[in-house]
Amino acid sequence: MRQHIVAELLRKGTLGTMNEKHKATLIVSLIITLLAISLVWQGTRQHAHILDQQIKTAETDLQSSIATMETFSFSPYRNRIKNLLMTSPEIIEAFAARDRQLLLTLAMPKYQALQRENKFFKIMHFHLPDGKTFLRVHKPDFYDDDLRRIRPMIAYVNQHHEPTSGFEIGRYGAFFRVAEPVFHQGVYVGAFEFGIVAHQLLELLTTKHNLKATTYFNKDFFAKAFLFDKDRLRLIDNFQVLTQGANDLFNQLPADITFCEPSRRLGLNGRSYILHCRPIFKNFQQQTIGGILVLQDITEAIEGKKAFLLESLLFSALMLIMTLFVVYFYFGKVMGALLKEITERTKSEKALRASENRFRFLVHDLPKIAVQGYDKDRKVVLWNKGSELLYGYTEEEAFGRQLEDLIIPPEMRSGVINAIDSWLDLDIAVPSSELTLRHKNGEPVYVFSSHTLFYNFDGEPEIYCVDVDLKALKEAQESQSAMADQLHRAQKMEAIGLMAGGVAHDLNNILSGIVSYPEFLLMQLPANSPLRKPLETIKESGTRAAAVVADLLTVARGVAKATEIAQPNHFINSYLRSAEYNELCRRHPHIKIHTTLAADLKNIRCSGVHIMKAITNLANNAAEAINEQGTITIATSAEDVDDYFALEHDITAGKYIVIAVCDDGPGISPEDLDRIFEPFFTKKIMGRSGTGLGLAVVWNTMQDHGGVVIAESSEQGSCFKLYFPSCDEEADVPVGAENFADYQGNGERILVVDDEKQQRLICEKILTSLGYQVHTVPSGQKALEYIQGHTVDLVILDMIMAPGIDGKETYARISALHPGQKAIIVSGFSQSEAVKETLELGAGRYLKKPYTMVQLGRAVKNELSAAHSEAE
C-alpha cells in the first residue's frame, strides 16, 4: 500500500517538485500513519480475540460445572438409593410391615449421614402404592397426604414398578429426585425417594468460577412451589426467574429476553455483561422445566478496548510529531545514522544466517535427541535424524507438512494448535512436559518435550521442539508397577489370611464336640442300634465342616508346609481313584477327563493332603466352567525355570515339576482373572457350589511349597499350572493301617489344660475310655498350682488361653518345676511361631483341633512310648 501511494504521488508530480527534506517528511508521515492504522487494527483484533476467549472460557466452565453437577451431585444418587435398599433389608422389612416408628428409627441415621455428606440433600420419602405418604424422614410429623395429583413421578413408579429420576418442582422449589420401587418377598410395597436441592449448582458457579448465576423454571411447573418466597421471583417470557433479592442484577433483565438464545450481550448498571442461558433441568419424562442463567461481566475487556484505542491514537500522534520534528530539523544527521544502521544490520543479518546454518548443521545429525522446527503455520522447517528414528518419517516426508498431521494424535490436535497460537499471540510459552505422541505406524511414542521460540532473519517466528525418548523409562515404570501390584496382592492375601486363621481357631474349638462325641458314642452302641446312623451323619457333617475350616487355615498360610517326599504322578492317580473324582463324574457326565503324565519325573517335597486338595479344587472349577460337552486335561511335566520367569513370579530359578489342570470352557474374563485367587471371591452360588476358598487354598498351598500357580485363559478355555520345586530325594514309604487297640493306656496320669470347658470334657472322656487317669484344669495358672503338688506322665496343653498366661508360658514354667516334662501341644489355629517355640522348649508333639479319638490316642501313646524309651 505504501509503495502504491508513493508511486501515485510521483506520477502526479507532487514529490517531483519537493526537495529531499520535504520528500522524507511526507514519506515518513505516510509510514507513521499506516503504522498507526495497523496498530489500531491489530490491537482491536487482539482485544476482540481476548473477549472471545473469555466468553469461551466462561461457557467451558459453565459446561464443566453442569457436567460436574450431573456426575458428582445428582447421578450418583441413582445408585446410592439402590445400594441403601440392598444393604438395609431391615428398612424394607419395616416399610413392608408399615411400622412407621421403626422405619423412622432405621432410616434416620442413613438420612443424617447423607446430609453430612451433601448439605443439599434434603428429602428422604417413603410412598405407599396408593399414592399416599407413609413417612417423610426429613419431616416425620407430616404424613398420610395424597400426592397422586401433584407427584407424577411417584405415580409413574407406583404404576410401572420401575426406578426413575429427574428434576421436579415441590412446595419449596426445585429438587433433583430419585425414586426406586421397593419389593418385599416379591411383592411391591411402595416407593422410596431421595431429593437433592437443585440450586446447589449456583453455589458451584458463584464460588468456584466467580460468576453471577440464578435459575429459571417454566411457570406452569413452578406453580407447585406455593411455599417458595414469591419476593425472589420474576416472570419473564413465561418463565419464573429467581432474582435473589430486590436489588439483584436479575431484577434488571430486559422484559424482551427470550430463553431460546444461548447467549446475549447486555448493559446493566453501567456495566457490560454476557447473559448465558442453559435449559438443563429435565423432569423424569425428559421434559425441559427450567435451566440456569449466568451473567458474565465483560466490562473490563470493553473498557480495555476503548482505552487501547485512545492510547494508540495519542501515541501515534506523538510519534508523528516527534518524527516530523527530527526529520525536518535533523535530516542530515538522521540519514547518516540511518545508513550506518543499515550497514550494521546487514552485517548482523549475515552473522545471524551463519549462526542459523551452524545450528541446523549441529542439530541435524543428533541420533538420540529428536529436534523439529516449524513455522507460525506449524509447517515443518527442520526434521533431524533423531526425529526420523523416533517417529519413522524421513526428512523428505516431514518437510513442509503440518505438525499435527505427522506426530500429534487426533485427541491432542486442537489443544496443540491453541497452545501454539497462544504462544505466538499472547506470549504464553508452551511448558515442558511428558507427552504421548504418534509414530508413523500409529503406535504411541512417549517423550519428554521442551520448546523454544526464535525469530529468523526475516523476523518470522519459528518454534523448535526437542523430544527425548522415554520408552525405556516407561517400560521400567510399568515393570515396577507390576511388581507393586504383586506385592499389594500378596499383602492383601496375608491380611485376609490372618483374619481367616482367627476364625478357624474359634470354629475348631466349636467343632471338637461335633467330631469327637459321635465317635465316642459309636464305640458304646451295638452294631444294630438305630442311633448309629444319626451319629454317623453328625460325625460326617462335623468332618466336612472341619474340612472347610482346614481351607481357612490354608488361607492363613504356614499350614501346607512340605513334610513328605512324593512322586507327582501319584497324586493324579490317587485323585482318579478318589470319592471326589467319582462325585465329579456323577454330577458332570457330559465331561471327559484325560491325563497326560510325563514319565521319569523327579519327586517333590510337599504336604500330600494339600496337594490333593488343590487338584480336587482345580478339577471341580474346570468342570463347573464347562457349560455343555467338554474335556478336562490333567498333565504333569518337568520344566526349567529361567531367571526372568523366576523374578517375575517371585520364586527361585531352577528345575520344577508342573501339574496342569486345563479345560476347554468359555474362559475367564480379564477383570475376574485378576481376582480369582482372593478369598471368598466366587462366581458360584455361595453355600451351594462353593465357598469362595478353593483357589485361595491353591494359591496359599503353592506359596507354602515355594512354588507358584499361573492362571491362563482365553475364549478357548482356561489352564492352571502348579510349579513345584523338584528334589532328588527318594519318596517316603506309605504307613500301614493302624489298630485302635494299640492306643490303650495303663493308668498313666495325664493333666489336660484348656480354657474351653467343652474341650476339657471331650479330652477327658476320650482318655478315660482309653484307660488313662485324667485331671483337667481351665488355665495355665491352675496347671502350675496342680503340678506343684502332683506328678503327671503327660500334659496336654492348649496354646491359646484367655485370660491368663498362654500355652508357651505355661509349659516354660512347668519345665522349670519338672525339667523334661512330657507334653502335647493342641490348638485350633495353625502351627504358629509360638507352637514351634514351645516344641523347641521340649514339648513332644503338636495336635490340631478338632481331633478324633484315633488322632488323640495315637499322639498320647507315641509320646508316652517315647518317654519310656528315654527312661530305659
Side-chain angles (χ1 to χ4, degrees):
M1 179 180 284
R2 183 184 67 186
Q3 292 84 349
H4 176 73
I5 294 174
V6 172
E8 186 66 19
L9 290 174
L10 288 171
R11 188 182 63 80
K12 293 180 178 180
T14 304
L15 295 178
T17 60
M18 297 181 181
N19 58 28
E20 292 299 323
K21 181 183 291 186
H22 291 152
K23 290 179 181 179
T25 302
L26 180 59
I27 291 173
V28 169
S29 299
L30 290 174
I31 293 173
I32 294 297
T33 302
L34 292 175
L35 289 175
I37 294 173
S38 300
L39 177 64
V40 172
W41 177 77
Q42 180 65 25
T44 303
R45 180 185 176 191
Q46 184 65 35
H47 277 277
H49 176 73
I50 294 173
L51 180 59
D52 289 340
Q53 287 295 109
Q54 291 180 350
I55 295 173
K56 289 179 181 179
T57 300
E59 291 177 344
T60 301
D61 292 342
L62 185 59
Q63 290 300 121
S64 174
S65 298
I66 293 172
T68 300
M69 175 193 69
E70 176 64 22
T71 303
F72 296 104
S73 299
F74 297 136
S75 296
Y77 287 94
R78 298 188 183 102
N79 292 327
R80 296 293 295 276
I81 193 170
K82 294 178 183 291
N83 292 337
L84 191 148
L85 289 174
M86 290 176 62
T87 59
S88 305
E90 66 277 5
I91 290 180
I92 298 176
E93 292 284 349
F95 187 24
R98 302 297 188 250
D99 189 335
R100 185 178 288 107
Q101 187 58 44
L102 177 58
L103 182 59
L104 177 61
T105 301
L106 295 173
M108 181 58 73
K110 309 289 186 181
Y111 173 70
Q112 292 171 342
L114 289 169
Q115 274 201 319
R116 287 192 298 269
E117 176 186 305
N118 182 358
K119 66 180 181 179
F120 295 100
F121 185 90
K122 299 295 183 184
I123 304 296
M124 183 180 282
H125 207 157
F126 290 86
H127 301 272
L128 295 174
D130 61 3
K132 291 184 177 181
T133 296
F134 181 69
L135 172 64
R136 290 179 172 89
V137 180
H138 55 282
K139 201 170 184 181
D141 295 333
F142 183 33
Y143 57 87
D144 211 26
D145 50 324
D146 194 338
L147 303 179
R148 283 177 291 183
R149 296 180 60 189
I150 65 173
R151 295 298 308 282
M153 177 185 289
I154 300 305
Y156 175 86
V157 177
N158 281 335
Q159 181 180 356
H160 297 280
H161 299 174
E162 295 176 354
T164 189
S165 61
F167 290 90
E168 192 173 87
I169 308 298
R171 294 182 174 91
Y172 296 95
F175 288 82
F176 178 76
R177 299 179 183 268
V178 182
E180 183 77 13
V182 181
F183 297 89
H184 180 254
Q185 296 181 354
V187 177
Y188 179 71
V189 297
F192 182 36
E193 176 188 2
F194 282 175
I196 303 95
V197 176
H199 302 95
Q200 63 176 300
L201 179 60
L202 300 184
E203 179 173 303
L204 179 64
L205 292 174
T206 56
T207 58
K208 181 177 180 181
H209 301 296
N210 197 26
L211 298 172
K212 297 177 178 63
T214 189
T215 56
Y216 67 90
F217 297 94
N218 187 292
K219 71 174 185 178
D220 297 330
F221 289 98
F222 205 76
K224 298 178 184 178
F226 55 82
L227 295 180
F228 196 82
D229 185 0
K230 305 301 182 183
D231 293 336
R232 298 173 60 194
L233 299 177
R234 179 184 176 194
L235 183 63
I236 303 177
D237 190 24
N238 202 40
F239 290 92
Q240 292 283 10
V241 178
L242 275 67
T243 59
Q244 306 292 323
N247 296 321
D248 192 90
L249 285 173
F250 294 98
N251 271 325
Q252 304 175 34
L253 292 177
D256 63 343
I257 286 179
T258 59
F259 291 85
C260 60
E261 294 182 274
S263 61
R264 175 177 176 178
R265 183 175 295 188
L266 298 173
L268 301 173
N269 276 358
R271 299 185 70 82
S272 299
Y273 295 93
I274 297 292
L275 177 66
H276 301 276
C277 177
R278 292 294 185 274
I280 65 170
F281 298 135
K282 295 184 180 182
N283 64 10
F284 77 103
Q285 296 174 320
Q286 296 302 300
Q287 297 173 314
T288 301
I289 65 172
I292 60 172
L293 298 176
V294 176
L295 283 172
Q296 179 188 0
D297 193 341
I298 60 171
T299 305
E300 293 183 1
I302 298 299
E303 294 298 328
K305 181 178 180 181
K306 294 179 180 178
F308 170 79
L309 291 174
L310 179 60
E311 292 171 358
S312 299
L313 292 175
L314 292 175
F315 176 75
S316 300
L318 179 62
M319 289 296 297
L320 181 60
I321 293 171
M322 292 178 61
T323 304
L324 290 175
F325 178 81
V326 171
V327 170
Y328 191 80
F329 291 103
Y330 298 98
F331 179 75
K333 294 181 180 180
V334 170
M335 288 302 294
L338 182 60
L339 290 174
K340 183 178 180 180
E341 178 66 23
I342 292 173
T343 302
E344 293 295 331
R345 181 166 182 176
T346 301
K347 292 180 180 178
S348 298
E349 288 180 352
K350 290 181 179 178
L352 181 62
R353 287 190 181 94
S355 176
E356 184 173 335
N357 288 333
R358 285 195 300 271
F359 166 76
R360 291 177 181 272
F361 179 78
L362 173 66
V363 168
H364 186 269
D365 292 328
L366 287 176
K368 298 294 184 180
I369 300 177
V371 182
Q372 313 96 48
Y374 43 95
D375 61 17
K376 63 181 180 180
D377 296 321
R378 303 176 305 283
K379 291 183 178 179
V380 173
V381 297
L382 174 67
W383 190 267
N384 76 339
K385 291 292 185 181
S387 298
E388 292 184 357
L389 295 173
L390 186 59
Y391 297 112
Y393 294 97
T394 65
E395 183 179 17
E396 292 75 16
E397 291 174 324
F399 202 84
R401 294 178 63 182
Q402 286 186 311
L403 192 67
E404 59 266 27
D405 295 333
L406 293 171
I407 63 176
I408 307 300
E411 64 272 13
M412 289 177 56
R413 289 176 182 173
S414 61
V416 169
I417 294 172
N418 291 335
I420 293 175
D421 290 343
S422 297
W423 198 353
L424 297 177
D425 298 337
L426 305 177
D427 199 25
I428 301 175
V430 176
S432 300
S433 62
E434 290 187 17
L435 298 175
T436 303
L437 302 180
R438 187 183 64 177
H439 192 273
K440 180 180 180 180
N441 60 16
E443 294 183 356
V445 179
Y446 304 103
V447 298
F448 183 83
S449 186
S450 299
H451 306 77
T452 186
L453 177 64
F454 287 107
Y455 286 89
N456 60 22
F457 55 83
D458 293 326
E460 294 294 331
E462 291 183 355
I463 295 177
Y464 288 87
C465 177
V466 179
D467 294 338
V468 179
D469 188 4
L470 297 181
K471 180 179 180 181
L473 178 61
K474 287 291 183 182
E475 290 177 349
Q477 289 175 341
E478 290 174 359
S479 176
Q480 183 178 12
S481 176
M483 294 178 68
D485 289 343
Q486 284 187 339
L487 176 61
H488 174 69
R489 185 180 296 111
Q491 290 172 336
K492 179 166 63 174
M493 294 289 285
E494 182 177 356
I496 296 176
L498 290 175
M499 178 202 71
V503 172
H505 169 264
D506 293 339
L507 287 176
N508 277 332
N509 279 331
I510 296 170
L511 289 171
S512 293
I514 301 176
V515 172
S516 302
Y517 272 123
E519 187 175 28
F520 182 74
L521 294 173
L522 286 168
M523 292 179 60
Q524 304 178 37
L525 289 176
N528 58 353
S529 173
L531 296 177
R532 294 191 67 89
K533 189 64 175 178
L535 285 173
E536 290 172 352
T537 301
I538 293 172
K539 179 184 176 183
E540 180 183 355
S541 298
T543 303
R544 291 172 60 193
V548 175
V549 175
D551 285 350
L552 282 172
L553 282 174
T554 304
V555 172
R557 295 285 313 279
V559 176
K561 292 295 184 182
T563 59
E564 61 180 274
I565 307 298
Q567 165 58 229
N569 290 340
H570 164 75
F571 296 114
I572 310 302
N573 294 325
S574 296
Y575 171 71
L576 297 177
R577 296 191 300 268
S578 67
E580 289 82 0
Y581 172 77
N582 293 332
E583 177 65 15
L584 183 146
C585 294
R586 185 189 65 80
R587 292 172 56 192
H588 304 282
H590 55 287
I591 294 176
K592 297 180 180 179
I593 298 180
H594 293 318
T595 59
T596 305
L597 306 182
D600 299 326
L601 286 179
K602 288 188 176 182
N603 297 325
I604 58 175
R605 180 175 291 277
C606 63
S607 168
V609 150
H610 290 89
I611 302 303
M612 288 296 295
K613 186 70 172 179
I615 295 171
T616 301
N617 287 344
L618 292 178
N620 288 341
N621 284 352
E624 294 188 3
I626 300 173
N627 296 326
E628 297 178 357
Q629 299 290 332
T631 302
I632 298 173
T633 301
I634 304 176
T636 59
S637 61
E639 186 171 324
D640 289 331
V641 169
D642 57 25
D643 291 334
Y644 180 80
F645 184 91
L647 180 63
E648 181 182 5
H649 298 287
D650 194 23
I651 58 177
T652 303
K655 296 185 179 298
Y656 281 75
I657 303 300
V658 181
I659 299 178
V661 180
C662 306
D663 65 75
D664 55 3
I668 305 171
S669 66
E671 56 271 18
D672 289 340
L673 196 62
D674 290 335
R675 299 187 57 198
I676 55 174
F677 293 114
E678 295 180 10
F680 308 111
F681 176 78
T682 179
K683 290 293 185 176
K684 305 175 185 178
I685 302 174
M686 186 65 77
R688 184 179 302 175
S689 61
T691 62
L693 291 175
L695 289 178
V697 168
V698 174
W699 190 88
N700 282 281
T701 296
M702 297 311 300
Q703 293 294 305
D704 286 335
H705 282 77
V708 68
V709 53
I710 306 297
E712 301 171 344
S713 187
S714 67
E715 295 180 356
Q716 285 71 45
S718 304
C719 191
F720 289 81
K721 297 180 179 179
L722 310 180
Y723 283 77
F724 296 92
S726 64
C727 67
D728 296 322
E729 301 175 60
E730 295 296 327
D732 296 335
V733 179
V735 179
E738 298 179 282
N739 187 353
F740 187 75
D742 294 336
Y743 305 139
Q744 292 293 323
N746 296 309
E748 290 92 342
R749 295 179 301 277
I750 298 177
L751 175 62
V752 177
V753 188
D754 200 306
D755 60 338
E756 291 283 341
K757 180 179 179 181
Q758 184 71 20
Q759 192 67 34
R760 295 197 302 273
L761 291 174
I762 293 170
C763 189
E764 182 180 14
K765 284 185 175 294
I766 292 175
L767 293 176
T768 301
S769 69
L770 291 174
Y772 297 104
Q773 299 180 50
V774 182
H775 182 78
T776 65
V777 292
S779 67
Q781 190 62 42
K782 292 292 185 182
L784 290 173
E785 294 174 3
Y786 181 82
I787 210 75
Q788 287 176 351
H790 303 80
T791 59
V792 295
D793 297 297
L794 181 67
V795 177
I796 297 179
L797 181 60
D798 186 23
M799 277 303 297
I800 302 175
M801 297 183 288
I805 58 178
D806 63 5
K808 174 187 171 183
E809 181 65 22
T810 300
Y811 182 72
R813 295 188 186 184
I814 289 175
S815 296
L817 295 172
H818 296 283
Q821 175 65 62
K822 293 298 179 180
I824 294 176
I825 304 302
V826 296
S827 177
F829 200 24
S830 62
Q831 188 170 349
S832 62
E833 289 299 321
V835 171
K836 295 176 183 177
E837 292 171 2
T838 307
L839 294 174
E840 291 173 359
L841 289 175
R845 283 170 171 75
Y846 163 72
L847 188 62
K848 187 173 70 66
K849 300 177 184 177
Y851 46 72
T852 64
M853 289 184 65
V854 171
Q855 291 169 338
L856 180 60
R858 182 196 309 128
V860 171
K861 190 69 173 180
N862 290 342
E863 187 63 20
L864 290 174
S865 298
H868 293 155
S869 298
E870 292 175 5
E872 294 175 357

